[in-house]
Amino acid sequence: MAAAEHKISCRHVWKIFGPHPSRVKDNLDPRLSRDEILERTGHLAAVKDVSFDVREGEIFVVMGLSGSGKSTLIRCLSRLVEPTDGHIIINGEDVVTMDDKQLLELRRHKMSMVFQHFGLFPHRRVIDNIAYGLEVQGVEKATRMKKAAEVLELVGLSGWERHYPRELSGGMQQRVGLARALAVDPEILLFDEPFSALDPLIRRDMQDELLKLQEMLQKTTIFITHDFLEALKMGDRIAIMKDGEFVQIGTPEEVVLHPIDDYVKDFTRDVPRHKLLTAGTIMKECQVVVSDTDDVSAVLSLMRERECATAFVNKEAGDFLGTVSMEDIAQASEQGSGQVRALVGSSPPVLSPHTMLDELIPITATSDRPLAVVDDANRLVGAVDRTTVMLALAGKG
Amino acid sequence: MNAHSPDPHVHERRKIFMYHVAAGGLLLLVLVIYRLSTENSVFPAFLHYALREPVDVFADWLPETFRFILKPISDAIKLSLKRLDGFFLGLPWPVVVGGVFLFTQHLGGLRLSLLSAGSLMFMGVIGLWDVSLITLTIMTLSVAITLVIGIPLGIWAAHSDRVEMILRPVLDAMQTMPAFVYLLPVMLLFGIGATSAVMATIIYAAPPVIRLTNLGIRQVSPEVVEAAKSYGSTSLQTLFKVQLPLARPSIMMGINQTVMMALGMVIIVALLGASGLGKEIWYAMRRLNIGLALEAGLAVVLMAIVLDRISYALTGREREGKARAYEGEPPGMLARMKKSVARIGAFAQGLSRAFAAGMAVLIGWIARPFAKKDVTGILRRVFTAHAFLLGSSALLLALLLVSRYLVDFSEFPAAWIFHFAKPVDAAATWMNINLAFITDPMRKSIYVYGLGPMRDFLIWLPWPVLMLGIAYLAWRVAGWRIALLSLFGFAFIGVTGMWIPTMVTLSQVLVALVLSVGIAVPIGILASRSDGFEALIRPILDVMQTLPAFVYFPVVIMLFRIGDLSGIIATVIYAMPPAIRLTNLGIRQVSAEVIEAARSYGSTPRQILFKVQLPLALPSIMMGINQTTMMALAMVVFAALIGAKGLGFEVLMSITRFDVGAGFEAGMSIVFLAVIADRITQGWAKRRQQALGVAASQ
């Protein structure tokens, strides 16, 4: 948790709506749920004791249904909504205690936001919309127009400078919104459900394009969405928000594979798992791992003891050699002693941890044995068999 | 809610019916007892209290005490008016006409500029040049002050919910009040004269611009404002770069309404002793000089149309942009004319461009020894960008110089003046004699079957019966608060001794209301059933709604002479347009699906109208009736100008006699009538609306 590597750190952020928010906050039992707080105090706790860190260059997604407080939370970061309590540390400075001037500086240079309904200025041409951030900073006209034209090209809208926003399609309008955000060259990008007003196909294109841009720009990004699949696709890490609180924070795989409660599990039900999970995420630990110089009888007894039909054999140096079945070992041990090395066939089938689940399905379907998962250095990291795959597909992995 | 369980519904209806029966019985009982005990049904004299006396004391005390504030304000306004009058009247008339022509040409094209300059010329031709300019200056100053106060107030209200909360009921009340209500307090503070005229106009005309500035800013999408803030705009930057530009159409509409309302005050401010067109009309009417009144009235009509078009052009400029609607190729002669006009326009444009370039070169050459950079290039860019402005100013300046040193243009040429007052007067006399076969029966029948009996009945009706009856009505349709208000209002009327004038006024308003609704609703129905008819009456209604109430007076007097009846006829004409419009709109807004459903069951058009369209349009029609009622009440004092008796007459007398106390009593009586009528008719419309689940069209 060293502060230096975190671009943004939020600690115990609260936002309470009502006539006396801070008084209510001070006298509040933090264990109460949002409904209980509303019933007892008449105040709405939109954001309730939220803490999280965002690393430099990371896309951090906050996913929640409407009314979960996610839009309020993202607005607290630039104090478009004034947080009731807590600390928001950006680059080591607490946003909450900033005076008006510092806040203006923060908004002008450090972060910019993309809005759900685009938030474009209908009375300004596309180019003037994009240059707006620079304009309020007081940047000279020629400079800001040049910069605006650059980012316009970046989002693929060159030639539309002199049009008004209403003459553009929804997808194009949001490109303008994105360009406007990029024009000020911010350190942090805030997206408030940027694609939810778009048609599904356009939405997919925009997601892909944003990911491509992000690969190039490496901006620290906070991305709000109500779409779980979008969260999985966009996020390096995801926070699931419910009733003003974070229910779970983790990588997409962690969330899908280990949902913390039924609420999160409910979302994971519709996830097309075969497109998300890999051999690395679903693999099991190998029960019997032996060295190629071990004696067959020793291996056999180990396998019997652990009730395991397959043994994984490593070379003495540590890299993976292959597998042996219980039948072969039993047959060999009847004929006398010897090293297991002799029983391992040449060039056994192995899987990479990155192999997607949908590729695993045909492979495991035709193999009776568990398959070894081996990393780039040819080390054994785990095993996948037909059962593992089926359980993962069923969401029970 | 009870639609699926008929039992409580029927029960509810029965209960309401019992209420009505009980209330009716009670009122009848009061009536009988009262009739038996006394002859006199007017509010008893022993309950009278002369409220005018303390009011008069207050009226003496107030201006003396606040003289230190009032005097400087008054002086400042007087001085500005004097300067403005001096300036405009000092300008040679071709400069004024030319300036207006060029300005409006730039704003809205040739049609607007011809209309504006032509109207101005017309005012000169009928010999009202000076008077019209005086009216224009008073209006310009009033509107300018209104905007300087109103727009910032609107901005403030848009930024603070608390300010809006305080302002809204005040503005609501101000818009319900008839214009003359402001006369008395203003007269009290600033005395008789132009200052009062300006102040009264400001107060009357301010609400729309405040309201629409506030509304316009509040209607800007919150996400857009948030976007501006998120990029680090200061609140001033957000205001000027985002909120105001986006609120512009709404603010412009507010300015348009403010201008029109200010024009509506022209005759009222004449009562305060301001000179101008209003005074001409008023004096002419008092002397029964109908021709003169008509001339001045026509000048006001033209002024209204031109000002409306100009402020509309200001609003619409942005919307239409450069691409004006293509109007199709006009045939033959017209096409040739258009072409030559276009050629003249192009020539003028070229000329001003050349002039601009020339000026740039000239100034550049003169400035060359002093300037570091190349001045000519910069000037050339600036000048050609504003070639129109530069060319126009040069032209006007040239005209000014010509008039000063060569030909005297300072007075509108007397030889051009043409009065049509005399022929009009002759026509009026002729009509009075020869159209009497139409107008006399009209007058008589309205008087004998309408106004007379109605007035007699209201005066005959014992005061407790009337008071309780109205209170019961108010309670049923608008709740107990309005019932209490109406009890209090009528008690005020009785106590101040205004009972009889109030009954007289009430009878006039009711007769005018019945007539205008009786004419307007069928016209509205007709308009809703025929697109051609709607297209025909729409422009007429548009013009009628921009015109101040009093412009109908000369025509009405011409036909019906001075008296109660003329007041009623003028009221009917003035108050009809909103009822026609809202009836038409209400019927047209009935959903097409519902009508299709009715047709699919084999309804005839007549059945559709009476069983579907009219019931669904009823809330909208009721809103029209509400507006008609309010306009009829606003006419009360104007109608007194053409001889109507009642409260309006009392107010008028008190103003001419500078009797603040009496004016207060009569004026407040009208205000009470207005507020009670407004709340009752609106409550009625809203209840129907809720019952039907439809919105009334505004």
Side-chain angles (χ1 to χ4, degrees):
Chain A
M1 278 240 310
E5 63 182 272
H6 292 144
K7 189 80 184 166
I8 306 171
S9 290
C10 288
R11 288 290 166 272
H12 308 294
V13 175
W14 286 78
K15 175 64 198 181
I16 298 175
F17 289 107
H20 310 289
S22 26
R23 197 196 302 165
V24 166
K25 160 74 186 67
D26 292 341
N27 302 319
L28 200 65
D29 178 355
R31 284 164 305 181
L32 291 180
S33 77
R34 175 146 83 173
D35 288 344
E36 286 165 336
I37 295 175
L38 187 62
E39 197 177 305
R40 286 189 200 179
T41 66
H43 285 60
L44 178 73
V47 176
K48 197 165 160 276
D49 198 18
V50 167
S51 299
F52 63 96
D53 299 294
V54 183
R55 295 184 207 111
E56 174 104 49
E58 172 183 47
I59 297 187
F60 185 82
V61 175
V62 179
M63 184 268 155
L65 300 182
S66 61
S68 61
K70 55 193 192 307
S71 287
T72 310
L73 176 65
I74 202 174
R75 280 166 176 73
C76 283
L77 295 181
S78 57
R79 279 177 53 194
L80 286 172
V81 166
E82 208 60 59
T84 309
D85 197 24
H87 300 285
I88 296 163
I89 316 290
I90 293 178
N91 289 342
E93 278 183 273
D94 193 346
V95 175
V96 177
T97 57
M98 282 183 176
D99 60 24
D100 287 355
K101 213 170 155 196
Q102 290 171 304
L103 190 62
L104 225 52
E105 281 305 296
L106 177 88
R107 288 178 182 169
R108 285 181 179 178
H109 299 287
K110 294 287 191 291
M111 45 173 52
S112 45
M113 189 156 168
V114 178
F115 294 85
Q116 181 176 7
H117 302 289
F118 323 136
L120 299 178
F121 306 121
H123 61 301
R124 292 172 155 247
R125 294 172 195 280
V126 164
I127 195 83
D128 298 318
N129 259 287
I130 297 175
Y132 184 83
L134 297 167
E135 184 181 326
V136 291
Q137 288 174 20
V139 174
E140 207 187 313
K141 186 163 183 183
T143 321
R144 62 179 195 244
M145 286 302 155
K146 193 164 154 269
K147 179 72 191 175
E150 277 172 33
V151 283
L152 196 61
E153 189 173 354
L154 197 64
V155 299
L157 277 183
S158 293
W160 291 89
E161 290 86 348
R162 311 211 32 89
H163 287 76
Y164 282 98
R166 62 173 173 275
E167 298 162 355
L168 272 58
S169 71
M172 287 159 84
Q173 289 192 30
Q174 195 56 298
R175 278 165 206 263
V176 176
L178 181 60
R180 182 174 65 177
L182 293 174
V184 293
D185 211 4
E187 295 168 17
I188 297 165
L189 284 171
L190 305 175
F191 290 89
D192 180 21
E193 300 206 32
F195 306 143
S196 52
L198 303 177
D199 294 338
L201 290 179
I202 312 254
R203 190 184 309 162
R204 201 178 64 197
D205 288 349
M206 292 292 286
Q207 289 165 347
D208 293 340
E209 210 156 327
L210 183 61
L211 286 172
K212 217 184 291 163
L213 270 173
Q214 171 67 0
E215 232 164 77
M216 195 166 79
L217 299 168
Q218 294 289 324
K219 301 271 186 201
T220 309
T221 302
I222 295 187
F223 191 104
I224 303 283
T225 181
H226 65 253
D227 177 351
F228 190 67
L229 296 181
E230 185 172 71
L232 296 178
K233 179 171 179 181
M234 303 304 292
D236 292 319
R237 286 191 304 141
I238 299 172
I240 313 276
M241 200 169 179
K242 183 198 173 196
D243 292 344
E245 291 174 283
F246 277 6
V247 183
Q248 185 175 8
I249 305 181
T251 63
E253 291 83 1
E254 280 167 10
V255 173
V256 172
L257 288 178
H258 309 293
I260 199 163
D261 60 10
D262 288 345
Y263 183 74
V264 180
K265 199 180 239 167
D266 223 27
F267 287 114
T268 64
R269 194 164 292 157
D270 297 332
V271 174
R273 290 157 173 278
H274 55 283
K275 293 227 165 81
L276 177 81
L277 300 181
T278 57
T281 51
I282 64 166
M283 65 193 181
K284 291 276 175 325
E285 203 183 329
C286 304
Q287 292 298 317
V288 181
V289 184
V290 297
S291 171
D292 60 348
T293 54
D294 286 352
D295 190 79
V296 282
S297 55
V299 175
L300 183 64
S301 58
L302 189 65
M303 289 171 84
R304 287 206 169 121
E305 184 189 320
R306 299 202 177 158
E307 298 178 352
C308 226
T310 308
F312 297 85
V313 184
N314 282 336
K315 289 185 198 155
E316 245 173 334
D319 46 347
F320 179 65
L321 182 69
T323 55
V324 195
S325 73
M326 175 93 104
E327 288 165 34
D328 292 349
I329 296 246
Q331 212 175 357
S333 75
E334 273 170 31
Q335 291 165 2
S337 64
Q339 293 184 335
V340 279
R341 186 190 320 195
L343 302 173
V344 179
S346 59
S347 63
V350 291
L351 300 168
S352 147
H354 306 300
T355 313
M356 298 297 291
L357 191 51
D358 57 351
E359 297 168 54
L360 287 177
I361 296 167
I363 303 174
T364 52
T366 54
S367 162
D368 294 333
R369 291 190 195 176
L371 296 167
V373 181
V374 171
D375 67 8
D376 296 342
N378 205 28
R379 305 265 165 176
L380 181 69
V381 288
V384 172
D385 63 10
R386 208 185 289 171
T387 326
T388 331
V389 169
M390 281 160 74
L391 284 175
L393 278 174
K396 303 228 168 94
Chain B
M1 234 182 283
N2 296 325
H4 48 85
S5 52
D7 255 346
H9 199 71
V10 169
H11 182 70
E12 182 72 10
R13 280 199 171 183
R14 206 167 282 159
K15 208 171 94 190
I16 288 173
F17 182 70
M18 289 316 290
Y19 268 132
H20 289 336
V21 169
L26 195 69
L27 287 176
L28 208 66
L29 192 67
V30 175
L31 178 72
V32 171
I33 292 172
Y34 200 96
R35 275 293 104 191
L36 289 176
S37 57
T38 169
E39 278 288 294
N40 192 358
S41 54
V42 177
F43 207 79
F46 67 88
L47 283 177
H48 280 194
Y49 174 73
L51 203 60
R52 62 183 73 184
E53 282 158 20
V55 169
D56 277 333
V57 173
F58 179 72
D60 288 339
W61 170 82
L62 190 71
E64 276 312 310
T65 315
F66 289 99
R67 205 181 137 76
F68 67 99
I69 313 178
L70 300 173
K71 186 83 169 54
I73 297 179
S74 174
D75 286 348
I77 289 179
K78 247 181 227 154
L79 189 71
S80 340
L81 268 182
K82 207 171 132 192
R83 288 280 151 79
L84 279 172
D85 276 346
F87 176 73
F88 281 117
L89 293 177
L91 281 180
W93 67 269
V95 176
V96 178
V97 174
V100 167
F101 181 86
L102 290 169
F103 173 66
T104 49
Q105 150 76 30
H106 183 61
L107 208 62
L110 191 66
R111 197 179 292 184
L112 179 64
S113 61
L114 282 179
L115 177 71
S116 315
S119 303
L120 208 53
M121 287 293 285
F122 176 80
M123 292 168 205
V125 167
I126 58 175
L128 292 173
W129 179 263
D130 286 7
V131 183
S132 302
L133 282 191
I134 288 172
T135 290
L136 269 179
T137 21
I138 292 187
M139 275 196 48
T140 313
L141 185 69
S142 312
V143 169
I145 298 177
T146 308
L147 298 187
V148 167
I149 299 169
I151 292 178
L153 211 55
I155 294 173
W156 194 24
H159 282 86
S160 155
D161 287 342
R162 189 168 303 170
V163 173
E164 198 206 19
M165 220 173 64
I166 297 168
L167 222 49
R168 173 168 293 191
V170 177
L171 294 181
D172 279 348
M174 280 169 85
Q175 285 198 320
T176 324
M177 301 283 171
F180 64 86
V181 169
Y182 305 117
L183 289 186
L184 279 164
V186 163
M187 202 168 78
L188 177 64
L189 293 175
F190 296 98
I192 293 279
T195 309
S196 289
V198 171
M199 294 307 285
T201 309
I202 292 172
I203 299 171
Y204 180 65
V209 75
I210 300 175
R211 201 183 277 270
L212 283 162
T213 303
N214 172 30
L215 193 74
I217 293 178
R218 280 178 183 266
Q219 273 176 346
V220 173
S221 138
E223 207 189 49
V224 168
V225 176
E226 207 170 45
K229 275 193 202 144
S230 81
Y231 285 92
S233 319
T234 60
S235 19
L236 274 185
Q237 281 173 326
T238 311
L239 181 66
F240 283 105
K241 285 176 190 286
V242 178
Q243 290 171 312
L244 281 183
L246 286 173
R248 205 187 115 116
S250 173
I251 296 175
M252 283 301 176
M253 205 195 283
I255 294 177
N256 173 298
Q257 289 185 18
T258 289
V259 170
M260 298 326 285
M261 286 176 82
L263 195 65
M265 286 293 275
V266 160
I267 198 153
I268 296 205
V269 300
L271 298 180
L272 285 171
S275 30
L277 288 170
K279 194 173 167 187
E280 296 294 316
I281 296 177
W282 185 33
Y283 279 23
M285 279 192 319
R286 274 212 311 207
R287 279 181 270 123
L288 272 183
N289 195 339
I290 292 170
L292 213 59
L294 202 69
E295 280 181 348
L298 217 51
V300 174
V301 169
L302 285 174
M303 209 178 266
I305 293 173
V306 168
L307 287 174
D308 183 52
R309 292 288 97 195
I310 288 178
S311 48
Y312 184 76
L314 278 170
T315 328
R317 203 151 59 133
E318 196 160 280
R319 249 181 287 126
E320 288 170 43
K322 289 238 161 74
R324 233 170 246 125
Y326 177 67
E327 287 165 2
E329 198 59 41
M333 167 96 163
L334 217 60
R336 272 203 300 279
M337 254 174 68
K338 272 213 159 170
K339 245 180 221 159
S340 49
V341 166
R343 226 174 277 146
I344 295 170
F347 177 70
Q349 220 169 18
L351 203 66
S352 57
R353 282 245 177 79
F355 176 71
M359 286 294 284
V361 172
L362 186 69
I363 297 177
W365 182 73
I366 296 170
R368 201 169 43 177
F370 314 107
K372 284 180 218 134
K373 278 192 276 183
D374 166 42
V375 191
T376 316
I378 300 168
L379 282 177
R380 197 175 194 144
R381 216 170 328 121
V382 174
F383 281 4
T384 40
H386 301 285
F388 183 84
L389 184 67
L390 198 72
S392 316
S393 334
L395 198 66
L396 293 178
L397 196 69
L399 266 175
L400 197 63
L401 291 176
V402 165
S403 136
R404 184 115 318 158
Y405 297 110
L406 296 176
V407 200
D408 184 18
F409 282 141
S410 55
E411 295 290 326
F412 198 84
W416 292 6
I417 291 177
F418 168 76
H419 282 289
F420 57 83
K422 277 210 182 103
V424 166
D425 282 339
T429 319
W430 182 87
M431 274 197 249
N432 253 327
I433 297 163
N434 292 291
L435 289 185
F437 73 96
I438 306 175
T439 54
D440 271 358
M442 260 176 86
R443 275 173 42 158
K444 274 193 193 118
S445 55
I446 294 178
Y447 195 85
V448 173
Y449 301 110
L451 192 58
M454 177 66 90
R455 193 180 54 203
D456 294 344
F457 170 71
L458 286 177
I459 292 177
W460 168 84
L461 203 61
W463 62 271
V465 177
L466 186 90
M467 259 171 94
L468 290 174
I470 289 181
Y472 177 72
L473 181 70
W475 177 57
R476 291 309 311 170
V477 302
W480 60 270
R481 263 177 233 191
I482 307 305
L484 277 185
L485 178 79
S486 43
L487 278 181
F488 179 78
F490 277 96
F492 176 92
I493 289 168
V495 165
T496 52
M498 287 291 158
W499 192 266
I500 290 191
T502 303
M503 291 307 120
V504 171
T505 294
L506 206 55
S507 64
Q508 291 161 359
V509 169
L510 284 174
V511 169
L513 190 64
V514 168
L515 281 177
S516 43
V517 170
I519 301 169
V521 170
I523 294 180
I525 293 174
L526 217 57
S528 74
R529 301 178 80 69
S530 151
D531 289 340
F533 184 61
E534 194 205 19
L536 181 76
I537 61 167
R538 179 176 288 240
I540 302 175
L541 293 180
D542 280 345
V543 172
M544 280 176 82
Q545 282 196 316
T546 57
L547 294 186
F550 53 86
V551 299
Y552 305 116
F553 290 170
V555 184
V556 170
I557 303 178
M558 204 152 92
L559 289 171
F560 296 96
R561 281 173 254 164
I562 287 277
D564 277 359
L565 216 72
S566 287
I568 286 176
I569 304 282
T571 306
V572 170
I573 299 172
Y574 175 65
M576 254 175 3
I580 297 179
R581 206 178 272 268
L582 283 167
T583 304
N584 172 31
L585 218 66
I587 295 176
R588 281 178 183 266
Q589 271 177 352
V590 173
S591 103
E593 205 182 55
V594 172
I595 292 172
E596 216 164 43
R599 192 173 301 144
S600 78
Y601 286 101
S603 323
T604 63
R606 203 186 149 79
Q607 283 172 324
I608 293 178
L609 178 66
F610 284 103
K611 287 182 190 296
V612 180
Q613 288 173 312
L614 276 183
L616 281 172
L618 205 57
S620 194
I621 296 174
M622 283 171 177
M623 284 311 287
I625 293 176
N626 168 279
Q627 288 193 19
T628 306
T629 315
M630 299 317 289
M631 289 171 86
L633 276 164
M635 278 291 277
V636 163
V637 172
F638 292 127
L641 283 175
I642 50 176
K645 297 283 184 300
L647 288 174
F649 181 73
E650 302 288 324
V651 171
L652 200 62
M653 290 310 286
S654 70
I655 289 172
T656 46
R657 287 194 208 125
F658 201 68
D659 182 351
V660 176
F664 175 77
E665 291 178 346
M668 280 308 286
S669 300
I670 303 182
V671 170
F672 274 122
L673 277 188
V675 173
I676 294 166
D678 183 47
R679 294 301 129 88
I680 289 180
T681 45
Q682 258 196 42
W684 183 34
K686 279 194 187 128
R687 268 166 47 113
R688 285 308 302 167
Q689 247 171 67
Q690 275 165 4
L692 294 175
V694 294
S697 34
Q698 280 301 309

